[in-house]
Amino acid sequence: MNHSNATAASAQVEQFVWITTETALDLTTSSQQATPRINRFAPLQPIRQWLDNIAIHDAGTARTFCQIIPGRCPFERTIKLFDRTLFSIPPLCKLNPFYEQVVALRFRSLCYLADECGEDVSRYC
């Protein structure tokens, strides 16, 4: 493909280049310069920040978080009948908008128990 065909094909397609989750560059054919577009609507961001800022300073709190937050998705299932798999339900935990923050909180709790308290955390795995 020569250069003239490549520019003609790319001129017809509207392109979006994502820089971060909040800022994107809109590269359209109508404007020669890239204009930044900022997405400021994030109603769940304060809760995410609150979950990320929870500090673990107590072994009892760390144990509670490790017991409450499961190590793997409890919704994942494989339905079998007579040793034949009928269907599988995929892990649905990643649909939770706070999934990464909750998993990070569990990991911080496990690290606190293992590093600071010297406990064996294998019972939480």
Side-chain angles (χ1 to χ4, degrees), residues 10-84:
S10 64
Q12 297 172 358
V13 178
E14 184 175 1
Q15 297 178 359
F16 290 96
V17 179
W18 290 98
I19 304 299
T20 65
T21 58
E22 295 183 2
T23 305
L25 292 178
D26 185 9
L27 302 175
T28 61
T29 58
S30 62
S31 66
Q32 295 296 335
Q33 294 180 348
T35 57
R37 201 176 45 159
I38 298 174
N39 183 8
R40 295 183 189 264
F41 184 71
L44 300 177
Q45 190 62 28
I47 301 171
R48 287 187 182 120
Q49 287 178 349
W50 176 73
L51 286 170
D52 281 335
N53 291 331
I54 293 177
I56 309 297
H57 297 296
D58 181 32
T61 306
R63 283 188 206 99
T64 303
F65 283 140
C66 291
Q67 290 171 354
I68 291 174
I69 302 170
R72 54 190 148 134
C73 187
F75 303 112
E76 182 179 14
R77 298 277 188 262
T78 302
I79 309 301
K80 292 185 175 189
L81 181 67
F82 303 116
D83 276 346
R84 296 196 59 158

Side-chain angles (χ1 to χ4, degrees), residues 79-120:
I79 309 301
K80 292 185 175 189
L81 181 67
F82 303 116
D83 276 346
R84 296 196 59 158
T85 302
L86 296 177
F87 58 93
S88 295
I89 301 172
L92 301 173
C93 292
K94 291 189 179 182
L95 297 176
N96 182 353
F98 307 114
Y99 173 76
E100 293 177 10
Q101 287 76 24
V102 171
V103 169
L105 179 61
R106 184 177 194 276
F107 182 72
R108 287 194 311 268
S109 299
L110 286 171
C111 289
Y112 178 81
L113 289 174
D115 296 340
E116 302 293 324
C117 300
E119 288 188 25
D120 181 27

